[in-house]
Structure formats: structure tokens, C-alpha cells
Amino acid sequence: MRRPERRSLWGLTVASGLSPGRFVADCDGRIDLVDLAQIGAPIVADDKFRDRSVLISCNRQLPAVLAMLALDGVARRILLCPPDLSPVHLPAVIAEAAVDMIISDGTGPAAQPIDGIERVAPGPSGPGGDRSRATEWLLFTSGTTGRPKAVVHTLDSLTGPLDDGLAVASDAVWSTFYDVRRYGGLTILFRALLGGASMVLSHAGEALPEFFGRAGQAGVTHISGTPSHWRRALMSPGVEAFAPRYIRLSGEVADQAILNNLRLAFPGADVAHAFASTEAGFAFDVRDGLAGFPANLIGQAGGKAELRVTDGSLRIRSVRTASRYAGAGGDLMDAEGFVDTGDMVERRGDRYHFVGRREGVINVGGLKVHPEEVEAVINQHPAVQMARVRGRSSPITGAIVVADIVVRSTVARSFQTTRDEILAACRLALPPHKVPAMVYEVASLNIAASGKLVRERA
Amino acid sequence: MSTRSVILDEIVRIAEQQKKKLAPLTDDLPLLGSGLDSLCIAVLVATLDDTLGIDPFDRDGDVPFPVTIGDFISLYENAPA
């Protein structure tokens, strides 16, 4: 018998034990890991991928997972493309990551052939062996102005979170509302693959009751999502179809209401909320059922992740941090290796609480919105003197986008008309979560001494 | 106008605005099965906060999330003024 290969995702998966019954499934299919090992087929290290920079483009998640298993340790680079990436940004993304091969089943952002780039369908591939290459993993951050930014991780930084002391039985079945092409989903997939467990993948557009049915049937025990995912889940019929033992929240601030509601709905489950970002990686989780995090996490040295608060924002230094932005993306960390998360925290007693984002970035259900990009659309309207876009707290999506507008004094028409035109323009130019939910007329907006609009924390 | 009809009118208005196709609204219909998504419901809750002055979702408490349209309306009808 061959010794399990170290370093690679497939090698570590094999090392965790390929007991019968271990599977990865999505809405349309299921693969038993032991079958993969026996047929060898899609998992064999294939020389055609060697040293290539490969973009994975599939709407479904299962073919993408198979491609990840085939590529890690062989390819130079894996670029994970979530299905919602706009094809408009594709040429720039491909250039930045020096993509020279695309694995696609004919769906996803790169569904159409691109001149000069080799295409391969996911599926069986030829023989090969060595899987010792340190493949770079490129992941998109959860939201930026305009073109999405990719950060560079390694298998080591991505599997770093597994060292957090969370005890998971080997019969566990993980699932996540996240797409596994996003950091929050990928780290859950790795927990399943490397932890000897199985995985149920979600699918964009699948109705929740169907997903719950699948999750229940597959015996999901551990499941993660954003607080907004979970609020949606609790408002959906069919949630009782499954009884997880472990519920994890991340990607947004978990307020006390969602923590309490989950405890009531799933009395048998441990509920934890984690702090992580695509750039900084997983930092810590909180398992006591209370919002915020214990103040003694700050300043502890020598742990897996070191935390500090500087100028009110949380900074993280950790082996789980991404190494850099892909392309000329600016500095990801400071000279000491700390990543500024931009999340502002405030100490109340012996706990820290998240109070919003610096620069007023608004988090709508895990999707980040920069006020400036919405203001840029609104300011194009001739009746607008000045606009300020801000977050308004929402018990459903964490926050929603609202706009305050100063109308030019020379404008005589009704504000209603102006507002309707502004909203129409926003709906044309922006995705739905960035369109202001409400537009208010205000007499004036404060300008700071610096000449900048005064922003409240979202 | 009753709380119920304010809410139902807003649901129709928001669905129109967000180009969502609404199912016939009954008390038993799941809120998320009505055609509204999470974002629409977030907009609905903020709008009702502005028009009725009520936000029954306590950020720190144990108010259960409503599953059906009927649950949602009762949350508002039973909220302390």
C-alpha cells in the first residue's frame, strides 16, 4: 500500500481515513470518497495540470470540489470562482492570476471559451504521481468596490483553522450555507475532508425547504452560515427536518437575538460564533452563547492567532492569514504582520462588542457595500446637491442600505419624483443589496474639518 | 387603516418595487414562500418601523422569527405600542 501523500488536500483526505460511507454531495449528485480512491480517476495527480494556473468555473459545487482535490499539490495556482462573479471582471481576474487553464463543466462565470486559454472538463484524468507542490489558492474577498480582489492562501493557511480544539466525531456530516468557493465555505469543506467526515454542499437558488430535506436525509450534524443565513433558515418552514449537534455563525456580527433563537430552535445543539475574514483568516470562536467576545482574547501572545485593538479596530496576526493580495493589490498586513480587519470594537465590561466598520462599509447579509459606490450613482442625478449612504440596522440582514439626500435649492419638483428617479438609476447600476432601501430628504449633511462627509459607523 | 392592511399593502408595494412575483397572500403562507426574499423582508421591517413606529424584533431578546405571514402580522399586532 502506498504511503498517504502529505501536504496535498487529497493526501490529507486519504490520511484522515477513507471509511465506507464518507461522501461529498450536492443537489445533483454524491461521491463516495472510497470510490474515488478505488477508481483513482479524477483524483490522480495529472501531469496536464502540473504547474498550471487553473481557474475553476462551475455553477454546482461538487465538480469544483473534485477539481480542487485533483489540482492541489500539482497545479501552481487554483483560482476559485464563485458562480456570482460577474463575467465583466473575468479578463482582469484572469490576467492578474496569470490563468492559463480553465476547468469548467460549461457553467459558471467562465462558461464560454476564452481565446488562448486551454479548457478541460472536470472528470477522469490520466496518470501521474507527485503531489508535493505548494499550490497557491486564490480566493475572492467578500466585497469590494468594483472589481473583486483575490487574496493568496496556501493549504497550510486554509487548514490552520482546524487547529482550534473543536472536537468533532468522525461520523460527523458537515454542511454550510456558504459556497465552498468562499473562505467561510472552503474552511468548512476542509474540516470535513481532513477530519474524516462527510459534507453536504448547498446550491445557489435552491429553496431552503429542499436544502433542509437533503441535509436531514444525509444526517447533517455540523452546519455553518452567516447570522443572515440563519435568520432566513428560522423563518423558513422545514427547518425542523434536521437536528444538528453544532451550529456555527460567521461572516457578520452575531447579535444576542439570533444566538437565543438558535438555542430555542435547536436545544440539542452547541451554538458558536466565529470571527474570520478572507484576508485575516479564522481568528477565534465564541462558544458561551453570548454576543461579543471575552476581552482576555486580546493581547494573548503565542496562540494560533494574536489579536490586538489599535485605533478601535481589531487586528489579527496568525498563520491562518493570507500571504498577499493577488496582483498589485496593496499591502494586506502591516510591518509586524497584523491584518487590520476594519471591524471596530468597543469594550463593555469584560467583553468586546463589534460596533461597525471603519470607513462605514455596510454588511448586508454578509455582502459588503461601500457607501461611496452607491453615492457615486446617486450624485449623478441633477437634483442632488449631496448624498450620504449609510447602514441601517436590520434584524433580518444585519444591515440595509439607506441614503440621506440634500436636494439643490433650485429644484422645485416634489422629492417623491426625485427619489423615484434616483432609485430607478440605482436599480439599473447596482445589484439589489446595494440599492438604498429608503431614501430620506435631509436639510444638510455634516462635513468634517478634513472636508470629508461625516459618516456614522454602520 | 389597520396594522394588518398596512403590512399587506407594504408587502405588495415592495414586491412590485423589487420585481418579485407574489403568491396569493394568506395567513398560512410562509413569508419566504410569498415571493419575498430576505432583503425584501429587511426592507419591509425598516419601512414598518418608519410608518408604524414599531420594530418588534428585539436585538437582545427571544422574539421568535416569524415563519408565516400570519406570524409576521401578529408580531406587529401584539407589539407594545
Side-chain angles (χ1 to χ4, degrees), chain A residues 26 38 56 353 380 418 428:
Chain A
D26 72 358
Q38 275 161 10
I56 303 174
H353 290 267
Q380 285 170 16
T418 303
L428 270 181

Side-chain angles (χ1 to χ4, degrees), chain A residues 221-251:
Chain A
T221 56
H222 292 60
I223 173 163
S224 87
T226 64
S228 292
H229 285 140
W230 281 111
R231 293 184 193 107
R232 196 164 58 105
L234 291 179
M235 287 194 292
S236 171
V239 71
E240 63 286 346
F242 75 125
R245 299 202 290 261
Y246 176 80
I247 288 174
R248 185 180 180 91
L249 301 96
S250 65

Side-chain angles (χ1 to χ4, degrees), chain A residues 86-154:
Chain A
S86 166
V88 173
H89 297 306
L90 210 52
V93 160
I94 284 174
E96 202 165 69
V99 169
D100 57 13
M101 187 182 255
I102 292 172
I103 295 186
S104 178
D105 59 359
T107 65
Q112 301 303 317
I114 295 169
D115 277 351
I117 300 184
E118 194 182 335
R119 291 175 75 81
V120 182
S125 46
D130 180 48
R131 263 181 198 284
S132 57
R133 167 147 207 161
T135 300
E136 290 185 338
W137 289 72
L138 273 64
L139 282 154
F140 289 109
T141 59
S142 62
T144 43
T145 318
R147 186 153 67 80
K149 240 181 191 177
V151 296
V152 181
H153 273 280
T154 61

Side-chain angles (χ1 to χ4, degrees), chain A residues 144-457:
Chain A
T144 43
T145 318
R147 186 153 67 80
K149 240 181 191 177
V151 296
V152 181
H153 273 280
T154 61
L155 189 65
D156 283 346
S157 64
L158 291 171
T159 54
L162 274 67
D163 233 352
D164 64 352
L166 179 70
V168 180
S170 61
D171 64 346
V173 180
W174 282 91
S175 187
T176 174
F177 293 109
Y178 281 106
D179 191 296
V180 294
R181 274 76 57 102
R182 297 269 184 206
Y183 183 85
L186 188 63
T187 49
I188 295 297
L189 173 70
F190 285 6
R191 282 179 191 274
L193 291 178
L194 274 61
S198 294
M199 178 84 189
V200 173
L201 302 160
S202 59
H203 185 74
E206 182 182 23
L208 274 179
E210 263 114 81
F211 173 69
F212 293 141
R214 274 203 300 129
Q217 228 158 27
V220 165
T221 56
H222 292 60
I223 173 163
S224 87
T226 64
S228 292
H229 285 140
W230 281 111
R231 293 184 193 107
R232 196 164 58 105
L234 291 179
M235 287 194 292
S236 171
V239 71
E240 63 286 346
F242 75 125
R245 299 202 290 261
Y246 176 80
I247 288 174
R248 185 180 180 91
L249 301 96
S250 65
E252 285 178 281
V253 179
D255 58 26
Q256 197 59 51
I258 185 62
L259 293 171
N260 292 357
N261 265 286
L262 284 169
R263 210 180 43 229
L264 286 173
F266 301 103
D270 292 326
V271 179
H273 55 106
F275 183 86
S277 75
T278 311
E279 291 94 328
F282 164 73
F284 59 87
D285 65 8
V286 179
R287 303 174 190 181
D288 63 8
L290 299 174
F293 60 92
N296 64 12
L297 286 179
I298 299 289
Q300 283 180 10
K304 306 283 184 203
E306 284 175 68
L307 312 180
R308 59 161 70 149
V309 177
T310 307
D311 298 332
S313 76
L314 183 64
R315 321 274 169 120
I316 297 166
R317 180 166 70 183
S318 153
V319 293
R320 304 159 181 154
T321 297
S323 46
R324 61 175 199 282
Y325 288 112
D331 287 334
L332 190 132
M333 56 187 84
D334 67 16
E336 290 178 81
F338 278 89
V339 179
D340 182 357
T341 63
D343 287 299
M344 308 302 284
V345 293
E346 194 175 273
R347 187 168 177 160
R348 294 173 210 148
D350 59 358
R351 280 181 100 80
Y352 275 97
H353 290 267
F354 291 99
V355 292
R357 300 266 312 168
R358 193 197 293 115
E359 336 255 324
V361 175
I362 306 158
N363 190 338
V364 182
L367 300 167
K368 289 178 190 138
V369 182
H370 288 256
E372 293 84 353
E373 63 181 314
V374 184
E375 286 163 6
V377 176
I378 297 175
N379 284 331
Q380 285 170 16
H381 192 282
V384 172
Q385 171 93 48
M386 205 191 320
R388 179 182 67 181
V389 166
R390 59 188 167 88
R392 169 171 174 169
S393 156
S394 166
I396 310 296
T397 54
I400 53 170
V401 172
V402 300
D404 299 317
I405 288 172
V406 182
V407 177
R408 287 183 196 281
S409 54
T410 49
V411 174
R413 64 222 291 246
S414 80
F415 182 67
Q416 179 80 44
T417 313
T418 303
R419 178 172 59 196
D420 291 348
E421 288 170 3
I422 288 171
L423 285 174
C426 287
R427 283 192 196 105
L428 270 181
L430 301 165
H433 67 280
K434 294 183 181 177
V435 175
M438 30 256 322
V439 175
Y440 301 106
E441 182 177 17
V442 295
S444 65
L445 287 168
N446 287 335
I447 304 287
S450 65
K452 288 184 183 170
L453 203 54
V454 175
R455 296 191 185 280
E456 297 157 19
R457 280 179 195 152

